[in-house]
């Protein structure tokens, strides 16, 4: 084969491979164009299908506290949110609610703006819990006016109340978690009177019961009162201010000194918060 024929054959072969390469590229480009076209068609159809529709993010949570103009809720991830609104009668502590999420303002707890709220599972047994528990405790305290005749009943009721407040046991078919922070603070205040009356009327009773379970009750009642006040001051100014004001009377009536409080915790941040309450100041 002469050089001219060889050169011609090589050129033909070269052109052949060139034609295959460009043809393949065209095919790939065509497939990509088809995929893109299908994607655009599907996206357009979906958009036209949902024109005018709005999708809101929802949250399911449990009410854990309630005030005159707020609900404090806890979601499944143990996050607390404050809803600033006027609660209705059926929105009781322990109820499960569903709400639409607007914007969330960071804080402790976070403030949640919502446009709608729906009751899922009302906690009907909690509707009268606060009135029932407060009356039980107040009645027990009134019994000391005739302590000798009521001794056995007072002792039983006292233990029931302390188990309820300190160890979260049931009292009148309710637990401490059924009460709002405002009611818990009120019950702790009365409990301090109960503890003092037991000491005065029935000395040694607490030591004889529960193998030491009821020793140091004064300390436990006061520290619970202070810690709960610290927490509620983050979101309920009315209850916070009233609790701080009441403590000024309590520390005089029950001889609560700052040295007592300093011996009850090694947490410097907690002591700082306690001092705000003890001194009658709020940040």
């Amino acid at each position: 084969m002469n050089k001219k024929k060889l050169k011609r054959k090589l050129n033909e072969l070269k052109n052949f491979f060139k034609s295959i390469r460009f043809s393949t590229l065209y095919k790939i480009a065509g497939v990509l164009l088809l995929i893109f076209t299908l994607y655009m068609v599907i996206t357009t159809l979906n958009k036209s299908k949902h024109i005018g529709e709005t999708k809101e993010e929802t949250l399911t949570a449990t009410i854990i506290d309630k005030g005159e103009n707020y609900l404090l809720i806890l979601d499944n991830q143990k996050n607390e949110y404050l809803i600033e609104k006027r609660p209705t009668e059926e929105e009781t502590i322990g109820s499960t609610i569903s709400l639409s999420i607007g914007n969330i303002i960071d804080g402790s707890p976070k403030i949640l703006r919502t446009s709608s709220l729906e009751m899922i599972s009302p906690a009907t047994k909690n509707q009268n819990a606060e009135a029932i528990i407060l009356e039980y405790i107040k009645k027990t305290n009134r019994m000391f006016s005739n302590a000798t005749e009521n001794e056995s009943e007072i002792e039983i009721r006292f233990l029931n109340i302390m188990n309820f407040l300190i160890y979260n046991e049931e009292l009148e078919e309710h637990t401490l978690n059924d009460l709002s922070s405002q009611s818990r603070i009120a019950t702790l205040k009365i409990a301090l009177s109960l503890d003092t009356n037991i000491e005065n009327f029935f000395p040694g009773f607490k030591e004889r019961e529960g193998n030491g379970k009821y020793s140091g009750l004064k300390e436990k009642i006061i520290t619970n009162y202070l810690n709960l006040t610290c927490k509620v001051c983050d979101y309920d100014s009315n209850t916070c201010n009233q609790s701080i004001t009441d403590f000024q009377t309590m520390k005089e009536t029950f001889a609560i000194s700052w040295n007592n409080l300093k011996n009850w915790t090694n947490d410097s941040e907690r002591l700082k918060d306690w001092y705000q309450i003890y001194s009658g100041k709020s940040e």
Side-chain angles (χ1 to χ4, degrees):
M1 182 179 295
N2 58 34
K3 289 183 179 181
K4 287 184 178 181
K5 286 185 178 180
L6 179 61
K7 187 176 181 179
R8 186 171 63 252
K9 291 293 183 182
L10 288 174
N11 287 333
E12 289 176 357
L13 188 62
K14 183 178 179 181
N15 290 334
F16 173 75
F17 281 111
K18 281 184 177 182
S19 66
I20 292 177
R21 183 164 62 248
F22 281 115
S23 176
T24 303
L25 289 174
Y26 288 143
K27 288 178 182 179
I28 293 172
V31 170
L32 292 175
L33 181 61
L34 177 62
I35 292 172
F36 177 75
T37 303
L38 288 173
Y39 170 78
M40 293 301 295
V41 170
I42 293 171
T43 302
T44 303
L45 288 174
N46 284 336
K47 284 183 178 180
S48 63
K49 181 179 178 181
H50 295 287
I51 288 177
E53 295 183 7
T54 57
K55 183 179 180 181
E56 293 183 325
E57 187 178 356
T58 60
L59 177 71
T60 300
T62 302
I63 299 173
I64 59 173
D65 201 1
K66 175 181 178 179
E68 292 182 1
N69 58 0
Y70 70 86
L71 294 175
L72 186 66
I73 62 173
L74 184 72
D75 68 11
N76 295 332
Q77 306 302 316
K78 305 301 180 184
N79 298 312
E80 290 187 359
Y81 298 95
L82 187 71
I83 305 174
E84 293 183 328
K85 67 181 295 292
R86 185 169 296 281
T88 59
E89 287 296 324
E90 59 270 15
E91 290 165 352
T92 55
I93 295 173
S95 298
T96 303
I97 58 174
S98 176
L99 48 90
S100 60
I101 298 177
N103 62 314
I104 299 176
I105 302 174
D106 200 16
S108 180
K110 295 179 181 178
I111 299 174
L112 177 62
R113 307 291 189 189
T114 178
S115 58
S116 66
L117 186 150
E118 179 184 357
M119 186 68 60
I120 297 178
S121 176
T124 53
K125 83 173 186 114
N126 294 349
Q127 286 184 354
N128 300 316
E130 297 182 353
I132 292 170
I133 296 302
L134 282 171
E135 178 53 32
Y136 185 98
I137 295 175
K138 288 178 180 179
K139 182 178 179 180
T140 305
N141 214 22
R142 291 194 297 267
M143 286 182 176
F144 283 100
S145 61
N146 197 353
T148 304
E149 292 186 8
N150 295 318
E151 180 176 356
S152 296
E153 186 174 357
I154 287 173
E155 290 177 348
I156 292 171
R157 292 172 74 96
F158 175 81
L159 296 179
N160 289 340
I161 292 167
M162 294 305 160
N163 287 335
F164 171 79
L165 289 175
I166 307 302
Y167 301 107
N168 202 25
E169 295 182 12
E170 281 197 356
L171 178 64
E172 300 290 271
E173 299 183 351
H174 295 286
T175 66
L176 199 59
N177 293 331
D178 296 336
L179 304 186
S180 67
S181 293
Q182 184 177 20
S183 293
R184 291 191 203 186
I185 290 171
T187 58
L188 287 165
K189 180 182 175 182
I190 303 171
L192 202 51
S193 294
L194 285 175
D195 183 65
T196 300
N197 285 333
I198 281 287
E199 288 288 348
N200 292 336
F201 286 94
F202 312 120
F205 168 71
K206 292 187 298 183
E207 287 70 23
R208 295 193 301 270
E209 294 291 329
N211 295 320
K213 180 179 179 180
Y214 303 104
S215 62
L217 277 180
K218 181 179 179 180
E219 174 186 339
K220 293 173 184 175
I221 293 169
I222 294 171
T223 55
N224 283 358
Y225 183 99
L226 292 171
N227 289 335
L228 187 54
T229 299
C230 291
K231 179 179 180 181
V232 81
C233 282
D234 288 335
Y235 57 84
D236 187 340
S237 58
N238 291 335
T239 300
C240 170
N241 292 333
Q242 187 61 55
S243 180
I244 292 174
T245 299
D246 289 345
F247 194 78
Q248 306 316 300
T249 303
M250 292 164 61
K251 71 181 183 182
E252 299 298 330
T253 303
F254 303 108
I256 306 170
S257 70
W258 179 240
N259 284 332
N260 291 146
L261 302 186
K262 288 193 296 184
N263 291 330
W264 292 346
T265 181
N266 294 320
D267 189 327
S268 59
E269 285 300 315
R270 179 170 293 184
L271 272 177
K272 179 183 175 183
D273 293 336
W274 284 4
Y275 185 75
Q276 296 296 324
I277 300 169
Y278 184 86
S279 63
K281 302 174 184 178
S282 57
E283 292 183 332

